[in-house]
């Protein structure tokens, strides 16, 4: 109804552009908070997801391995996301190609795909029907639905943005099954990951992203994050922003 109203409005109030986002970038979130954008929120989901998110590191690997075996024993599927396809001295984590031998030696029906894989769609379709473990890069952030997926491990999670982490986590639990998202990191106490693990709400995650990355230039638009006002923090000073909005609304109503 809200969308129909925006489209059907005439004159100067008719919308010229409509944006859709599950997790707005920091600048967009700041513009929403400061009322520079007219916003409608969809706060309901098709079904409630039950996903537990946890940061883990190397000492937790034996327990992770046991959990993976338990999920596969229940005919569920596991997704493991690697930061790179091939080894790099600049990244302190194993790559997909370095790790695949281990997983293939421990489990049957291990599938592998990545962005350069021309057969990616075919691999995903075959994994959906017959696979136990899928090793991949963030190429699976969106795409083919995998209804039996109940466990995802994101290696080097601190290297990814919160929106990407949220999209990847959203790959599990799509049929209502109890699911888990493990954020594997050499810095498990990373505050950004800790706070991310405490919510599955896309709006809250967008606000976290604003908090950690800052709003950028909300007027010019050339800088999407990384800068903030000298005397105002859009993520922390919500009460101040709300008071300013009320004051502006009062002035506008009095002058009209």
């Amino acid at each position: 109804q809200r969308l129909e109203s925006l489209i059907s409005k005439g004159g100067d109030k008719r919308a010229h552009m409509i944006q859709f986002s599950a997790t707005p970038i920091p600048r967009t979130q700041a513009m929403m908070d400061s009322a520079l954008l007219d916003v409608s929120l969809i706060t309901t989901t098709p079904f409630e997801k039950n996903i537990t998110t946890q940061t883990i590191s190397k000492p937790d690997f034996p327990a992770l391995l046991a959990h993976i075996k338990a999920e596969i024993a229940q005919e569920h599927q596991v997704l493991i996301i690697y930061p790179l396809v091939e080894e790099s001295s600049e990244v302190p984590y194993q790559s997909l190609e370095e790790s695949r031998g281990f997983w293939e030696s421990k489990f049957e029906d291990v599938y592998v795909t990545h962005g350069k894989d021309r057969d990616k769609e075919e691999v995903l379709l075959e994994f959906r029907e017959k696979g136990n473990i899928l090793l991949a890069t963030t190429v699976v952030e969106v795409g083919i639905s995998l209804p039996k997926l109940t466990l995802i491990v994101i290696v080097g999670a601190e290297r990814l943005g919160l929106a990407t982490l949220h999209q990847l986590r959203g790959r599990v639990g799509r049929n209502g099954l109890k699911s888990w998202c493990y954020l594997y990191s050499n810095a498990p106490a990373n505050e950004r990951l800790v706070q991310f693990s405490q919510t599955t709400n896309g709006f809250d995650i967008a606000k976290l992203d604003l908090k950690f990355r800052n709003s950028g230039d909300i007027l010019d638009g050339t800088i999407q994050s990384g800068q903030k006002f000298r005397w105002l923090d859009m993520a922390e000073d919500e009460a101040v922003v709300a008071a300013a909005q009320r004051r502006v609304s009062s002035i506008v109503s009095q002058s009209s």
Side-chain angles (χ1 to χ4, degrees):
Q1 291 178 342
R2 174 64 169 165
L3 182 58
E4 290 177 353
S5 173
L6 288 171
I7 294 173
S8 62
K9 280 183 178 179
D12 294 337
K13 293 187 177 181
R14 182 169 184 173
H16 294 97
M17 180 178 68
I18 299 176
Q19 297 176 314
F20 295 88
S21 177
T23 48
I25 62 173
R27 177 175 177 268
T28 304
Q29 183 64 45
M31 293 177 72
M32 291 164 55
D33 291 345
S34 58
L36 291 175
L37 293 177
D38 192 9
V39 181
S40 288
L41 301 179
I42 300 174
T43 58
T44 58
T45 57
F47 57 86
E48 194 71 27
K49 285 190 175 184
N50 185 5
I51 304 175
T52 297
T53 306
Q54 182 180 345
T55 56
I56 61 172
S57 57
K58 190 173 182 178
D60 303 304
F61 189 76
L64 172 65
L65 198 60
H67 191 177
I68 289 173
K69 291 178 179 178
E71 290 301 306
I72 291 175
Q74 297 179 67
E75 298 186 352
H76 296 162
Q77 294 176 316
V78 175
L79 171 60
I80 304 176
I81 300 295
Y82 284 92
L84 293 173
V85 177
E86 298 177 345
E87 181 181 4
S88 171
S89 59
E90 298 180 0
V91 178
Y93 297 100
Q94 284 195 329
S95 67
L96 188 155
E97 289 297 336
E98 289 177 286
S99 303
R100 67 181 298 175
F102 170 82
W103 296 108
E104 290 172 341
S105 69
K106 296 288 185 181
F107 297 92
E108 297 180 348
D109 300 319
V110 176
Y111 287 75
V112 179
T113 191
H114 49 79
K116 297 180 181 179
D117 184 3
R118 294 182 178 180
D119 300 321
K120 176 184 63 177
E121 298 298 321
E122 289 77 9
V123 170
L124 291 175
L125 286 170
E126 189 171 338
F127 168 76
R128 183 172 67 181
E129 300 302 320
K130 302 189 296 184
N132 287 325
I133 295 178
L134 175 63
L135 309 179
T137 57
T138 55
V139 68
V140 296
E141 182 178 349
V142 294
I144 295 171
S145 178
L146 302 170
K148 294 194 294 182
L149 204 62
T150 58
L151 191 154
I152 181 172
V153 182
I154 305 173
V155 179
E158 79 282 0
R159 298 174 56 84
L160 298 177
L162 295 185
T164 298
L165 291 176
H166 184 57
Q167 290 284 355
L168 288 170
R169 178 171 59 182
R171 301 297 279 155
V172 301
R174 291 202 167 190
N175 59 354
L177 290 173
K178 171 61 182 172
S179 300
W180 290 264
C181 173
Y182 289 108
L183 308 174
Y184 190 95
S185 173
N186 291 336
N190 181 292
E191 185 61 24
R192 193 171 62 100
L193 295 183
V194 170
Q195 292 194 34
F196 172 83
S197 68
Q198 294 171 354
T199 180
T200 57
N201 185 297
F203 304 115
D204 292 340
I205 290 166
K207 288 184 177 295
L208 280 178
D209 211 15
L210 173 61
K211 173 182 176 181
F212 285 104
R213 294 173 61 200
N214 296 321
S215 61
D217 188 337
I218 66 173
L219 299 178
D220 182 78
T222 56
I223 301 174
Q224 302 292 309
S225 64
Q227 289 188 356
K228 60 182 179 180
F229 292 107
R230 179 172 297 180
W231 306 113
L232 178 71
D233 188 323
M234 294 295 295
E236 299 291 342
D237 299 328
E238 292 183 357
V240 176
V241 174
Q245 289 176 359
R246 291 193 297 270
R247 179 59 176 158
V248 170
S249 296
S250 175
I251 293 172
V252 171
S253 62
Q254 290 174 11
S255 61
S256 60

